[in-house]
Amino acid sequence: MYYPKSQIKTNLSTNGGEFILSTTNQEYIGNYYKISSGKRYTGTSPSNPPNILLNEIPPLTQISHDPQFQESIQQNLIQSFLITPNYTKTPPDRFIPLFNPTLPTDQDKQNGQFNRYFCKKTNELKYLEIDKETYTKLQAKDPQIAWDLYEPASLLWVIKGTQENVFNTNKSSVFKIEQNQRWNGFSQHFKENYSKYYQSQDINDLYTSGGEFTTKNGQNYIGFYHIHNGITPMVGKTHINTPHDVLLPTKKTQLMPPTTSSMMLPTSPTIPSGGGSSMGGGGSY
């Protein structure tokens, strides 16, 4: 039935002790809305089903004169709120999930993968990235959270390897959740960013005989080098924490990730006489 907005008061809530469901006579805790006639229904508004009519809990005198009603609710309601004189505990307020993404730790970066957590509103195609604690509460149907309004899912997210493999692996994992849990449009939430948090790997033990790189002061560089984070060529076999120079590719050099064979250093690299390791001084990065 349609009601004008002016006749509806939405987003009301009860912590219990006020209403029972007209269908089961069980006590109701949660959101409800009220129309101008005074009737109340479950949900934040008519567009947030199920919309079940709520009845007020009758006073003790009325219950005592209606044996049929008294019998139907004594287990669900009277013992908890009306008969038990020492009952003082107030049902806790439920909270809803909030956007709180999990970020990879240093250990995760070493492992090359970590878990991300998401949830979907049960009656809408709305997705939210959450933390592990919220995910666990939703899975366990913890009464502190609105578990009946959200569906949780966890996703193993890969952050190491070749960028192409990382992208394809994560994309495949997302589409599996979309298909298995019927989360239509879940993949659109990622906006094709399946390489998020990608950890580029250093390429070590490389050697140049010259003509490929220069130092910051323009000198031709001959010697060992590495590519830091798969992007930046730098002096030395491997990356170290102390300052060391960045190498500048010459115009003839197209810096590409080397193949397995080109990454292997010859047993005895030929170093031109008088060449040695030529590098300029200056600042480091």
Side-chain angles (χ1 to χ4, degrees):
M1 183 178 294
Y2 172 77
Y3 297 99
K5 290 184 178 180
S6 60
Q7 297 185 28
I8 305 174
K9 191 172 184 180
T10 60
N11 293 308
L12 302 175
S13 64
T14 175
N15 290 327
E18 297 181 85
F19 310 112
I20 57 175
L21 297 170
S22 60
T23 53
T24 62
N25 285 335
Q26 289 184 323
E27 179 214 7
Y28 179 71
I29 299 174
N31 295 320
Y32 70 93
Y33 65 91
K34 181 180 179 181
I35 61 176
S36 57
S37 65
K39 292 184 178 181
R40 301 170 177 84
Y41 295 87
T42 61
T44 56
S45 67
S47 61
N48 178 218
N51 305 131
I52 302 172
L53 176 65
L54 296 174
N55 293 326
E56 292 186 5
I57 297 176
L60 279 171
T61 54
Q62 181 177 339
I63 294 175
S64 62
H65 289 88
D66 188 348
Q68 184 177 0
F69 181 82
Q70 184 179 26
E71 181 180 356
S72 67
I73 68 169
Q74 65 178 4
Q75 294 299 324
N76 299 317
L77 182 62
I78 301 178
Q79 289 181 355
S80 300
F81 289 92
L82 304 178
I83 293 179
T84 308
N86 294 326
Y87 184 85
T88 57
K89 184 178 180 180
T90 302
D93 292 332
R94 299 198 310 168
F95 68 89
I96 62 173
L98 298 175
F99 175 74
N100 190 14
T102 299
L103 302 178
T105 64
D106 290 340
Q107 185 61 53
D108 293 332
K109 293 175 182 178
Q110 290 184 16
N111 295 338
Q113 60 186 20
F114 73 107
N115 285 311
R116 297 176 69 180
Y117 306 94
F118 300 86
C119 67
K120 171 194 171 296
K121 290 200 71 175
T122 54
N123 60 345
E124 296 181 59
L125 296 178
K126 289 186 177 180
Y127 303 100
L128 190 68
E129 186 162 8
I130 55 179
D131 60 6
K132 183 177 181 180
E133 181 181 359
T134 303
Y135 167 80
T136 302
K137 287 182 180 294
L138 287 173
Q139 261 208 329
K141 298 182 178 181
D142 192 308
Q144 294 181 343
I145 194 170
W147 60 266
D148 52 324
L149 303 180
Y150 294 85
E151 304 170 15
S154 64
L155 173 63
L156 185 63
W157 194 258
V158 179
I159 55 177
K160 264 191 177 180
T162 66
Q163 193 161 4
E164 181 180 4
N165 286 341
V166 167
F167 182 95
N168 291 333
T169 300
N170 291 334
K171 184 174 183 178
S172 175
S173 299
V174 168
F175 273 87
K176 282 182 181 178
I177 290 181
E178 185 174 74
Q179 182 179 14
N180 294 340
Q181 299 200 194
R182 299 181 180 179
W183 281 14
N184 296 332
F186 180 56
S187 56
Q188 298 175 16
H189 173 83
F190 294 84
K191 299 179 180 179
E192 290 295 312
N193 191 6
Y194 298 113
S195 298
K196 189 171 185 178
Y197 307 119
Y198 176 66
Q199 301 294 303
S200 298
Q201 295 177 313
D202 292 346
I203 304 172
N204 300 316
D205 294 323
L206 303 176
Y207 183 84
T208 176
S209 298
E212 296 181 89
F213 304 102
T214 62
T215 59
K216 288 185 64 178
N217 60 8
Q219 291 184 357
N220 179 45
Y221 179 77
I222 299 173
F224 292 100
Y225 72 98
H226 63 280
I227 302 178
H228 182 48
N229 283 334
I231 299 175
T232 308
M234 302 186 75
V235 171
K237 288 185 176 182
T238 60
H239 193 71
I240 56 178
N241 292 328
T242 55
H244 51 296
D245 285 344
V246 170
L247 296 174
L248 305 177
T250 63
K251 292 183 179 180
K252 296 180 180 180
T253 302
Q254 185 178 7
L255 189 59
M256 297 289 290
T259 62
T260 303
S261 59
S262 65
M263 288 174 62
M264 298 300 293
L265 182 67
T267 305
S268 301
T270 302
I271 303 176
S273 60
S277 177
S278 173
M279 54 182 290
S284 301
Y285 292 81

